[in-house]
Amino acid sequence: MTTTPPEPPAPSSLAMARPTGILFVCLGNICRSPAAEGVFLHLIGLQGLEDAFTVDSAGTGDWHVGRSADARMRSAASRRGIDLPSRARQISTADLSRFDHVLTMDRQNLKAVRGLAVQGEATAQIGPLTRYCRRYSIEEVPDPYYGGEEGFDRVLDLLEDACGGLLETLRADRAS
Ligand code: 4NP
């Protein structure tokens, strides 16, 4: 008996098969971008979308390479039930073709990443994470490193808003 080979997958299901790569970027990769990574991971976990995304973070600087996220940032996240698993690393030009979206925290990060992009074969969409905020009208996620505890909570408020908007946008992109 001959069997008919299965139809190849439709283009839309092929598109669904490849995870969308998201890289969050700040200066030191110990406060804001690891928190963004943790918040986004938390959100996709709640929605059962772990397989749809590859999520990472990096810093434009190399001072803290190998370190866990700042203890103050981890405590503030933990109070919201959010784990920050990252180890700091520095962004490279390869990241700009490995990830689909590179999302920066402030103007300085954006300028640094755009500077890297002109050196290589960047295919990622590069832009500020705050463009996805829905509740807050703000252009930058402020650096909390030299400030008080409240700065870390403020960062998380902004990141929860922005990452929620980002996930909504990317879910719609993947479905189309
Ligand atoms: P991040 O914060 O860019 O949000 O990780 C900083 C962490 C460390 C330093 C600056 C910003 N630093 O100057 O060491």
Side-chain angles (χ1 to χ4, degrees):
M1 189 177 96
T2 54
T3 52
T4 313
E7 288 287 319
S12 61
S13 55
L14 276 179
M16 291 298 290
R18 192 178 77 78
T20 301
I22 313 290
L23 182 70
F24 297 103
V25 178
C26 63
L27 178 61
N29 194 212
I30 55 169
C31 295
R32 293 165 293 174
S33 61
E37 176 188 348
V39 167
F40 195 82
L41 286 170
H42 182 74
L43 291 178
I44 61 176
L46 290 175
Q47 298 189 25
L49 292 171
E50 294 92 336
D51 294 341
F53 297 97
T54 302
V55 187
D56 198 3
S57 66
T60 58
D62 65 357
W63 313 284
H64 302 287
V65 167
R67 283 186 52 191
S68 304
D70 185 288
R72 297 164 296 175
M73 194 79 253
R74 282 189 281 123
S75 298
S78 167
R79 287 195 291 274
R80 300 182 188 211
I82 298 168
D83 183 39
L84 305 186
S86 91
R87 291 274 169 181
R89 72 174 182 88
Q90 188 175 29
I91 191 172
S92 70
T93 50
D95 286 318
L96 304 182
S97 51
R98 208 175 280 148
F99 290 88
D100 299 295
H101 298 271
V102 175
L103 296 153
T104 53
M105 301 296 139
D106 63 29
R107 290 183 193 87
Q108 186 190 14
N109 315 147
L110 185 58
K111 193 172 170 197
V113 172
R114 285 193 172 140
L116 266 186
V118 298
Q119 297 170 26
E121 296 281 314
T123 49
Q125 288 187 36
I126 300 164
L129 177 62
T130 53
R131 75 159 52 132
Y132 295 98
C133 280
R134 298 166 295 186
R135 282 191 300 132
Y136 295 98
S137 178
I138 191 163
E139 290 190 13
E140 300 188 298
V141 180
D143 183 352
Y145 189 67
Y146 293 106
E149 293 294 327
E150 70 287 350
F152 293 86
D153 270 315
R154 169 76 173 153
V155 164
L156 288 169
D157 289 342
L158 296 172
L159 293 179
E160 287 187 323
D161 185 26
C163 287
L166 173 65
L167 180 54
E168 202 172 283
T169 301
L170 295 180
R171 281 194 72 154
D173 287 351
R174 285 180 66 87
S176 64

